[in-house]
Amino acid sequence: MEEKKSNLIVTIKKWHTVSSWTWGAGDDNCGICQMPLDGCAPECQFPGDDCPIVWGKCGHKFHLVCINTWIQRNINEPTCPMCREPWEFRDD
Amino acid sequence: MINNLQTSSFIQTFQLLSQDNFNQINLKSKLLFDNKKSNSNSNSNSNSNSNSNSNLFLIPSFVDLFFQKIVHLLQFELIPQLYKNILSGKNQEEFNNLFEEEDFIIGNQENIFQALQTFSNKINSFTRFMEINNHIFNQDSSAKLFGLVHIALFQTKQEEFLKDLIKKIFHFNFLQFCSEVTNNLTDEYEDNEINISNQDSKIDISKYFKDFVGLLFQMNFSPFLEEIAFESIFREIEHIIKDNIVGDFGSKALPKMLNWVSNVAMIWFEKIFFTFFNEKKITINTKDSQKNSKLKTILFEANPHYDFKPHKEYFENLIYQKIEEARLNELFEIIVDFPDSMSALMDLKLCIEKTGNYLKVGKSLRKSYLSRLLHQGASTSDIITQFLSTIKALKILEPSGFMLEIVSEPICKYLKKRQDAISCIISNLVDEENGELYEELEKYAAKPMHIVEMQFADQNSHRLQSEEHQILSGMNDETNQFFNYDDSDENDIYDLDNSQAYGDTSDEFDYFSGQEDENEEWNPDPIYSSSKTLSAVVNLKKNIDIIGHMINIFGSKDPIVSEYRLVLADKLLANTSFDIDKEVKMLELLKIRFGESSFHNCEVMIKDISDSKRIFTNIQNQNENETETKNSEQNSNPLDYYEGEYIFRSHIISELFWPNFRSIEFQLPTRIQNMMEKYAKEYHNLKKPRQLNWKPDLGVVELTLGFRNSDKTLDFAVSPILASLIMKFQEKEIWSFSELKESLKISDDKILRSNLSFWIKNGIINTSDRGNSYYLIDSISEHENQLQNQSQKTPSKSKSQTNTNTDEVANDFVDSDDENFTSSQIQRESNQTEIQIYQQFIIGMLTNFEEMPLERIFNMLKMFVTDPPFDKTALELRDFLSQLVRDGIIEYSNSNNVYKLKK
């Protein structure tokens, strides 16, 4: 059946598609600013590179700017604002 | 005896009179007069009263007799004779008809004048007779004579005819005069600025006409004459307006007409009456008698200095009225033609300033808009275009915005009801080439904010000339103009205020905020705006620019901003070259006008695109490096490149900031899928820990179709689904519908069919077997035939529903021909999801109440749904409900107009 080749030749010049990025952190909101993690914190103008998110070893994740502000307040013994465990950045 | 003799000699005189024997009559009356004079002289000299006594006794009866005779003469001889002469052998009807023609008047003018001359000569001979016998006739006698003539003339059946005749002669003469003046002018002056004061002597009314007027004056026609002259001018004014002014918006009619009044009409008017008065004055002086006819004294009392100023003013006012009337009637068209119709508009402006009919004009325009524009037949974009012109035009007519408020109120209300109004406004706003609103944006951005406001507040004080010039000169240099008006004194004030204004409005600038610091520029509302009739409707909002009016339609800028987001999403996604320069510029302009904070989403969207571009370049470079270093054939497919560019690329969006997209599930071609996976992997490498979620149905594919048996190729830019579909026909030429469905993994038949119809329409594939089988066309030539066939079929489709199967299938697809670019789906989709939130509420309500009419559902939703607040119109709700009916969720019962759940 496939012996006869189709008369048609399709040449693709550009395949311009659309995708959305995600931090891979699900649909959660940042526990501090309550904005979506894939969105951006109120302090930031743009999401993504300008407003990265970070994971703590406790598994909670926040916008970097948000958790930084939090840590500044208790710089010696930072805790996770969600679970009160000592805050440590997770290494990737 | 003597008396008898005298009487009989008078009667003789009359007989002679009626025989037209002037010489004799003059002689005779002279004799008689001398006789009498010597008689009376001798009587008085001799102090004998007997004779004079008897004379005195006889005089009244004689005078009576004289007048009786005159009446008789007039009635039976002179006036019939006059008409006979005028008609010169024709009957009256015939004559009337002929009189409509100019040539006839020219030919017969002389004749008519002569007839009147003859008539007047006879009357004159009576007067002379009376003057000679001034011892018999007292002062009132001559007035009585003219009164009699007047009555006799106008009590005949031909009264109207005569009046008509005089009117026509006047009018004809006036026209002749007008054309002479204009001819003279065109000879000597190139431009239209008429100044004929030094030409007075050259152009004159004809001698005949002058005599004619003189005659009529003598016959106590004076009030009637003035009336007729007025009427002639009046008629001509109307005529000129109708012929030359109505429909011509390109030239200013008002100054032309005013010029015409003072330099043509009034000259004529003065020539008629002034010359006559002058002559009279001379005769009076020379006669130096106290027995002037009453007529003369009346005339001179009324016009002691021949002052024609009131007449002129009357005509000028008339011109203002008439032109206002004419322009008002065509104001709708004037606005349609705006700004080409600027001259006509300036006419109207001057007229309204004179008459003060602001309310009338506003109401009339409002009325014509209601009947002519705001109806089903007018397209929304037309209404908006007209609205824009209206705003501009009425701002010129009446800068305070009073009239504009009257007119714009119904337009705004109506446009709010039109669902596509907002998208029309946005498309005008973002149209860099022809968009009027875009122009406004640019203009707005080009000048400091505070000055924008000042300009609208200050317009009242601008001199008309400069204002007009400003508008005509393209409005773009308004700012420069503005500084030119008041350059020295106030500049420093502006500078001060500017810095303040910038501080205040740096972030959020709403159009209302301008009112805070308007105190120093405060102007009272125009006095005519306090009219009770419209005060409820009209709420003067000053200093609003055109875009402000657009915002007014919707009550806030939010709909405009969110609509722009949709348009922007469309534009960005349709662009395959990551080119964002235009959109960046557009966004900057919008930010200046609407305030930055409203456009945060849009900024993110644009940044997404520029980031996407960087990533694409990155990935492409990496691929090339890989290919070079590894030189491994398996990794790089030559098909993945077109003219040196990697064919696969993606807009990587921050989804939360973009409008909602529809999504259609389908299977991409394996080749594309591979590229996609690779792209995602490389993205993850670049931007760890970020990942990509694909929206494979969105985007644009540029492809070329070629045929093995032909050199011709066809270029398309289509959606990924369409591309995947046509690529299937590369595998084999004939597909059944179910095979395609299976292979592409499209679950919805409708979507597949509409996609197939795109390629059928473009003549690439064809269908048979009731739309169950699809096959590739044989060659390019068939493709052309098919396209031709379709263009022939299209018009007949609606006529005959009994077509072949092919056509039926094609019919199904007619309404879904916008599949070319996927992104146009964004907007509709998102609108619907918005209202879908309410579906649960509606179903819940119907479960409880069983059946409800539309209004009740609407009111309930309004009352109880607060998060998010129900902001849809009843119309939108109805559409949504009928959508639910179509989906089989609820039912609509026609009998009592209620909705209920489907059981």
Side-chain angles (χ1 to χ4, degrees), chain B residues 90-101:
Chain B
K90 297 177 186 65
N91 77 30
Q92 198 171 312
E93 212 167 296
E94 203 180 348
F95 188 82
N96 264 339
N97 290 339
L98 282 169
F99 212 85
E100 300 295 331
E101 292 158 32

Side-chain angles (χ1 to χ4, degrees), chain B residues 67-78:
Chain B
F67 282 122
Q68 263 176 34
K69 186 70 189 170
I70 280 185
V71 169
H72 190 267
L73 263 176
L74 281 169
Q75 209 167 349
F76 294 103
E77 284 185 43
L78 295 182

Side-chain angles (χ1 to χ4, degrees), chain B residues 174-175 177-182 185 194 196 233 236 240 256-271:
Chain B
F174 179 53
L175 290 183
F177 181 78
C178 291
S179 70
E180 259 172 65
V181 171
T182 27
L185 284 172
I194 308 178
I196 57 165
I233 296 175
E236 189 58 16
I240 292 176
K256 238 191 260 171
M257 286 303 289
L258 290 177
N259 222 325
W260 181 85
V261 163
S262 51
N263 291 316
V264 182
M266 279 318 290
I267 300 277
W268 180 74
F269 196 80
E270 281 171 33
K271 266 186 195 299

